[in-house]
Each structure stands twice: as C-alpha cells, then as structure tokens.
Amino acid sequence: MLNSKIINWYEFNKRDLPWRNTTNPYNIWISEIMLQQTQVVTVIDYYHRFINSFPTIKDLALASEQDVLNHWQGLGYYSRARNLHQAAKFIVDNYNGVFPNSFDNILKLKGIGVYTASAIAAFAFGLSKAAVDGNVYRVLSRLFGVYELTNSPKGKKTFQLLADELMANAEPHIYNQAIIEFGALQCTAKKPMCEDCPLQAQCFAYLNKEQNSLPTKKKKIKLTNRYFYYLYIFSEEHFLLQQRGDGDIWRKMFEFPLIEANNRIELVDLIHTETWRSLFVDVKIEVKDQLATKVHKLSHQNLHIEFISVKVDRDSMNKFSSFICIDKEKAINFPLPKPIESYLARA
Ligand code: SF4
C-alpha cells in the first residue's frame, strides 16, 4: 500500500516539532495559522511565545488586540492574528471556550479554510479528513501524473478525491502528517530526492522524468499598462489610417497614426516628442480636442487610450505619404479595433 510506505518513511524521517506532540486543537490551530506563508524554523519560537502568553482559548479571547498583534510582530499578514483573536472570542461566546469538534463548525471559524479545518479535524480529533496543502498537491501530482491545475476548482476537487482515496483506512492524524512531511522533506519542489525515495517504483514523475513539470499551476498573468495617443488627423471628411503589424495586439487591423508611451504624457509634452514633430514637418495644424477613453482592458494589457483630433488643410493631407487617406464614409471597409470604431462613430 502506498500510504503505508509514506507512513513508514515518516516514522523514520519526521522532524520533532512542538505542535506534533499534542492533540490539543487550540495548539494545532495556532501552529497551522502561523505556518501559512511562514517557514517551520521561523514559526517554532513564535509558537512557544504565543502559547506561553495565551495558553488557552479563553486567555487569547481576553487579551487585547494590541497584545495579540505584538506577539505576531515579524510574522506578517496581521489579518491572520486578528482572525485568530476574533475566532477565539467566538468560541468563548458560542462554545463556552471549547474548540468545536466537527469539521463543519471548524470551517465556520474566521480565518480557517478547507485545508486548515481538515488538518485540525484530523490531527486533533482523528476525523477522516485528508488535508491537502501545497506539499500534498506536489506529491499527488507527481506520484499519479496529474496535470490538472492545482489552483483551479476542478483541480482542487480531483486532488481532494485522490488524497481521500490514498488515505483509505490509515489513521488520519498520522497519514496527513506523513504526506505533508514527505512533501516538505523528500518530494521537494526543487530537486526532489528521488534516488532514495520509497515510492520510486510507482511514481509517474520519476518513471517519466516529469518531476520538473509537476505540479502545474495557473500562472498569474502580469498586466502591462500601455499608453496610446491616437491622432485623428483630418481635413473635412477625410482622415488618416495605418495598418498595424502582426506581432502585437489587433494584428493587421487599421488605426489612426499612433504615438505609444510607457506612461501618461500631457499634450504639451506630447507635441515635443520626436514622433509628433516628424509627423507634422511643414504642415500647419490645429489641435481641435483631446478625448481620454476609459481604460480598454485586454486579457493581459490595460490600454490607456487618448484621441487627439488634429485639423490640417486639404493639400497637406497629401504630405502624409506613409498613411492611407480615406473618406469617412469608407471607414466601414476597414477592420478597426473597437476603440477606433467607437471614436469614429462620435467624430
Ligand atoms: S520518486 Fe521523486 S518525484 Fe516521485 S514521489 Fe519520490 S521524490 Fe517525489
């Protein structure tokens, strides 16, 4: 059985951590909240100080918020401490200071999500709940070759089912500790120690050399801001267009002459840019108006678009040889990005 291999590994390799030697749900709760986003070695001292100062739920509930925050100083994410404090008061008010022993009631406490509720339910009360944290996602995805995104709702469901199946009849408090520790020490994110791993023979990632591809996670898209200054250069019913290239957004579509910048530029500065000057060599112009549109959002870009309407005389239109001069009525024949189309509808 795979789970007994993981449990055997745990018995030989586990670290002696203070919150492992207790089934007190309060102590386990404090340790789990501290361990979110913080390394084990850092947490140990904080944990001892916190438990010494607030040995019970009642002590925590009666403490001042400032005192609780002082004990958290250096751990960061102060909302975690505030939530702990509020949940302690809730337990005192609603459960007479006794930590709830059902998964559903634990999950209702402020600041406790599915993983933490499962961990407390299993470690403190022996409830049959598989706790799935980042370590467990990693082990399961590599072991069984699961490529589903660990941060998608579908992926979460799949991994929870797998974790429940793998736990099977094992003792929940031992199994959960074991697989979490296995992920933290053996099947690590970088350079997992496959050569002396007891699961090697059954491990999909090892057998297929896929350790570095698993687990998969949806990457956060980095949004870029771009600043577009479109020049609506017109004379009577004619205006200028140009075709976009094919290496960027709106491939091959048509747009007004464009000055793009990395940040916002005032018109007084824009007219001194090289692009503006080179556009209007020997051309008499009259800047009519300037219109800023709402930010145009694309999947990974925010376009801050402004239109500047520039009137020139009819003869000067011939001087813009690198642009197409079209009749306004013919604009419909050109594929135009939405913001240009909307602007023309109003112009
Ligand atoms: S063989 Fe490597 S990738 Fe597979 S479970 Fe073991 S440590 Fe993780």
Side-chain angles (χ1 to χ4, degrees):
M1 288 277 278
L2 276 173
N3 65 14
S4 51
K5 284 190 176 178
I6 297 172
I7 291 168
N8 285 344
W9 173 94
Y10 177 65
E11 296 301 346
F12 281 103
N13 295 284
K14 67 181 171 193
R15 291 167 290 183
D16 183 20
L17 301 173
W19 47 87
R20 289 236 171 98
N21 307 319
T22 177
T23 53
N24 182 332
Y26 171 67
N27 294 44
I28 291 166
W29 174 39
I30 301 299
S31 70
E32 285 297 335
I33 300 296
M34 285 185 170
L35 285 165
Q36 290 169 8
Q37 328 268 356
T38 311
Q39 291 193 333
V40 168
V41 279
T42 311
V43 166
I44 293 174
D45 281 349
Y46 280 94
Y47 171 82
H48 284 306
R49 267 201 303 275
F50 200 92
I51 295 293
N52 284 340
S53 299
F54 315 115
T56 67
I57 296 175
K58 280 185 188 146
D59 295 315
L60 179 58
L62 288 172
S64 70
E65 183 174 284
Q66 197 50 52
D67 199 10
V68 177
L69 293 180
N70 286 345
H71 282 74
W72 209 264
Q73 207 168 0
L75 277 176
Y77 303 95
Y78 286 92
S79 58
R80 294 186 291 167
R82 288 200 182 89
N83 287 341
L84 269 178
H85 193 210
Q86 284 175 28
K89 288 180 181 175
F90 180 87
I91 294 170
V92 167
D93 292 344
N94 293 276
Y95 302 121
N96 202 21
V98 179
F99 203 94
N101 62 4
S102 80
F103 174 78
D104 290 344
N105 284 340
I106 298 172
L107 189 58
K108 281 183 196 147
L109 297 174
K110 198 151 190 200
I112 293 192
V114 174
Y115 162 76
T116 308
S118 305
I120 298 170
F123 301 160
F125 303 112
L127 299 181
S128 189
K129 285 281 169 192
V132 185
D133 72 346
N135 292 308
V136 179
Y137 281 123
R138 191 164 55 250
V139 175
L140 295 177
S141 67
R142 286 175 175 168
L143 195 52
F144 299 111
V146 182
Y147 285 86
E148 266 181 50
L149 302 171
T150 57
N151 54 352
S152 71
K154 190 163 169 255
K156 282 187 176 142
K157 252 188 195 167
T158 305
F159 282 101
Q160 186 67 54
L161 280 175
L162 261 180
D164 291 339
E165 273 173 32
L166 186 60
M167 182 164 73
N169 297 323
E171 296 278 348
H173 68 287
I174 304 275
Y175 161 79
N176 278 308
Q177 298 275 20
I179 189 163
I180 291 169
E181 190 78 335
F182 184 81
L185 301 181
Q186 183 85 24
C187 193
T188 47
K190 285 183 190 148
K191 297 191 182 151
M193 290 183 279
C194 300
E195 293 315 320
D196 64 355
C197 176
L199 309 184
Q200 205 186 69
Q202 291 104 331
C203 177
F204 171 92
Y206 177 76
L207 298 172
N208 295 282
K209 298 192 170 45
E210 285 286 280
Q211 295 95 322
N212 293 335
S213 324
L214 289 165
T216 59
K217 205 173 181 184
K218 188 157 54 182
K219 291 203 171 53
K220 282 201 183 127
I221 296 169
K222 193 169 173 274
L223 274 181
T224 46
N225 286 300
R226 297 172 77 179
Y227 297 81
F228 282 13
Y229 296 89
Y230 274 126
L231 309 182
Y232 177 64
I233 302 171
F234 73 101
S235 174
E236 295 160 11
E237 290 303 300
H238 289 81
F239 67 93
L240 300 179
L241 278 183
Q242 65 179 352
Q243 189 171 26
R244 288 186 65 83
D246 62 1
D248 195 1
I249 57 166
W250 300 332
R251 293 170 58 204
K252 298 286 184 188
M253 295 179 95
F254 288 80
E255 63 183 358
F256 303 143
L258 168 69
I259 299 177
E260 183 175 349
N262 293 329
N263 40 41
R264 187 158 192 284
I265 309 177
E266 294 295 336
L267 185 58
V268 283
D269 297 316
L270 195 72
I271 62 177
H272 292 297
T273 59
E274 191 52 40
T275 324
W276 180 287
R277 280 202 228 165
S278 59
L279 255 175
F280 299 112
V281 178
D282 296 332
V283 178
K284 193 161 171 283
I285 64 167
E286 189 184 340
V287 174
K288 299 296 282 183
D289 59 33
Q290 184 178 11
L291 173 77
T293 65
K294 274 192 230 155
V295 177
H296 188 77
K297 289 180 185 291
L298 300 176
S299 59
H300 55 294
Q301 300 185 22
N302 285 335
L303 305 181
H304 304 256
I305 302 176
E306 290 191 29
F307 292 93
I308 295 136
S309 132
V310 182
K311 189 176 177 194
V312 301
D313 60 46
R314 186 75 185 92
D315 291 342
S316 297
M317 286 301 260
N318 301 326
K319 294 186 179 169
F320 298 99
S321 54
S322 50
F323 297 94
I324 313 162
C325 177
I326 67 156
D327 190 309
K328 204 173 159 193
E329 290 199 341
K330 303 259 173 66
I332 196 164
N333 299 328
F334 292 83
L336 304 169
K338 191 85 187 135
I340 304 267
E341 197 182 298
S342 311
Y343 180 83
L344 278 174
R346 284 177 296 188

